[in-house]
Amino acid sequence: MRADRLVSLVLLLRQRGRLTAETLARELEVSTRTVLRDIEALSAAGVPVYAERGRHGGFALLPGFRTELTGLNHDEALALLTAGSGRGEQVFGLGSALASAMRKVVDALPESHRDTASDAAQRFLVNPETDLLSRRLVTEQVPDTTMIEVRRAVLAGHKLRIHYAAVDQTPKWRTVDPIGLVTVRDQGYLLATRSGADRTYRLSRVLAAEELPETAQRPNRVDLDRIWRERSAQFLSGGDHITVLARVNPARREDLLDTALAVRAEEPDADGWLRLEVTFQDSRHAEWALWQLGTDAEALAPQLLRTSLRNRAAAIAASYGDSSGNGLNDPLAQHLTKPVN
């Protein structure tokens, strides 16, 4: 752990020049006293680091000193820097490790490519916090102490004890055999088995975790992509889920998919719209999702959903009736309240 921190300290000084002990402590997430001890250790090991006194003082390296890291070309480093600009690292608690890795990537580049790669990475933005409609994308937060225990158990192949708060249930302690970690739209999941049965746990609902010394019962090799597809299929086939056939204006396709659990089929309709078969949590969820799209979507099936949407529209039309307050005199309301065929 300390060796990694010493490397990061050297890389910070190489890339930014003179830095104060307070700045180094903030970047490395340690105390200033730890930074001073690390500076002494580097100096004793022959690294040419020196202190400058005064108001604008700090620590710096002698000009020309660099660590030798090779093997990355410009495009490879750019790919890593761009990937590192996303927020997925927050889901698994790897933010500090990512920052350290990015410093090493930059330093690994030949000097002629270093500035151009860093500048190019600034031209790419991956998963910003809000979309064009200023809707904030929420990343679920998991305490670092909890995430570290989960991550260690997954990587070490040890059993894991978690204090888990399932929906509408009192939190309980459970001992599981962890298989892997998955992140989908900034939501993290732990794939595991419990007493041999498949289990999927949402990381934001893990209140506490403890890595156990016992070896987990799991295969040596794992195909997380296949396991995730299988568990997704199991999830969609259970509970009160409802499958809806709908026509949608292509401009509103993403709005519908953002609220649906899954898309089972999709094809263009004759008038340029899209015909989609989508799954929702239940009938109330489906009605809410289709209602948000107004006239840009039409539910074709099931009939019960069409009736619910029609009745809802009729009630709205009736509330905006004529000046006498009798909404049913309105031609639109009369049309909407006709029986559904």
Side-chain angles (χ1 to χ4, degrees):
M1 188 71 176
R2 191 190 185 196
D4 288 340
R5 190 174 69 244
L6 292 176
V7 171
S8 292
L9 194 157
V10 171
L11 294 178
L12 281 169
L13 294 178
R14 269 202 45 78
Q15 294 164 18
R16 300 193 193 177
R18 184 173 60 250
L19 295 173
T20 65
E22 290 77 11
T23 299
L24 289 168
R26 185 170 59 254
E27 290 286 340
L28 299 172
E29 299 181 352
V30 296
S31 66
T32 54
R33 181 174 297 181
T34 297
V35 168
L36 295 177
R37 286 199 299 265
D38 288 348
I39 292 292
E40 291 180 2
L42 288 173
S43 181
V47 176
V49 58
Y50 66 96
E52 292 187 358
R53 307 293 180 183
R55 180 180 177 184
H56 300 291
F59 296 99
L61 294 169
L62 288 178
F65 175 80
R66 66 170 284 125
T67 53
E68 291 298 330
L69 298 174
T70 60
L72 289 176
N73 62 35
H74 178 271
D75 286 345
E76 290 170 341
L78 176 58
L80 289 174
L81 290 171
T82 302
S85 67
R87 302 196 322 281
E89 75 280 359
Q90 298 177 10
V91 177
F92 297 146
L94 294 171
S96 298
L98 179 66
S100 175
M102 291 302 101
R103 287 193 290 268
K104 294 176 183 178
V105 168
V106 171
D107 200 76
L109 291 172
E111 188 170 356
S112 58
H113 294 328
R114 196 176 307 139
D115 292 337
T116 56
S118 296
D119 179 71
Q122 295 175 13
R123 309 293 175 178
F124 299 154
L125 179 60
V126 181
N127 291 331
E129 291 187 356
T130 61
D131 61 15
L132 285 175
L133 299 179
S134 296
R135 294 175 298 192
R136 189 171 184 85
L137 306 179
V138 179
T139 300
E140 297 184 337
Q141 299 297 322
V142 182
D144 288 344
T145 53
T146 298
M147 195 62 246
I148 288 173
E149 290 294 310
V150 172
R151 196 169 64 237
R152 283 177 177 171
V154 169
L155 297 179
H158 290 167
K159 288 184 177 294
L160 179 67
R161 189 166 175 258
I162 59 175
H163 194 211
Y164 190 73
V167 178
D168 298 327
Q169 293 184 25
T170 302
K172 296 179 181 178
W173 283 98
R174 311 151 193 249
T175 299
V176 303
D177 296 297
I179 295 175
L181 294 169
V182 176
T183 176
V184 181
R185 294 186 178 180
D186 289 338
Q187 295 177 357
Y189 298 89
L190 167 67
L191 305 187
T193 60
R194 185 180 174 209
S195 300
D198 292 343
R199 293 289 185 269
T200 302
Y201 300 101
R202 195 157 170 169
L203 290 176
S204 61
R205 295 177 184 152
V206 178
L207 307 180
E210 177 187 1
E211 178 191 4
L212 302 178
E214 294 87 359
T215 301
Q217 299 300 312
R218 66 180 191 180
N220 293 329
R221 293 183 176 276
V222 64
D223 184 348
L224 281 185
D225 187 54
R226 176 185 58 79
I227 294 175
W228 181 254
R229 289 198 306 270
E230 291 175 351
R231 297 199 180 182
S232 296
Q234 293 173 4
F235 175 76
L236 292 174
S237 63
D240 299 324
H241 298 159
I242 180 175
T243 299
V244 174
L245 179 62
R247 294 178 66 255
V248 182
N249 184 330
R252 303 300 300 277
R253 176 184 180 275
E254 294 304 318
D255 293 329
L256 179 64
L257 299 192
D258 281 345
T259 60
L261 292 179
V263 181
R264 294 182 176 274
E266 178 178 352
E267 62 181 9
D269 214 351
D271 59 358
W273 278 32
L274 297 174
R275 186 174 288 249
L276 296 170
E277 187 178 340
V278 291
T279 300
F280 294 98
Q281 187 73 40
D282 50 36
S283 57
R284 292 180 60 186
H285 179 202
E287 181 180 339
W288 174 86
L290 270 296
W291 183 260
Q292 306 308 306
L293 302 185
T295 58
D296 285 326
E298 177 190 0
L300 303 177
Q303 185 61 47
L304 183 62
L305 176 60
R306 285 177 57 85
T307 301
S308 296
L309 287 168
R310 183 183 184 89
N311 291 342
R312 189 170 185 174
I316 292 293
S319 68
Y320 288 95
D322 60 23
S323 58
S324 66
N326 185 3
L328 293 178
N329 291 329
D330 186 280
L332 176 60
Q334 294 175 2
H335 172 73
L336 290 174
T337 51
K338 290 180 181 179
V340 179
N341 295 325

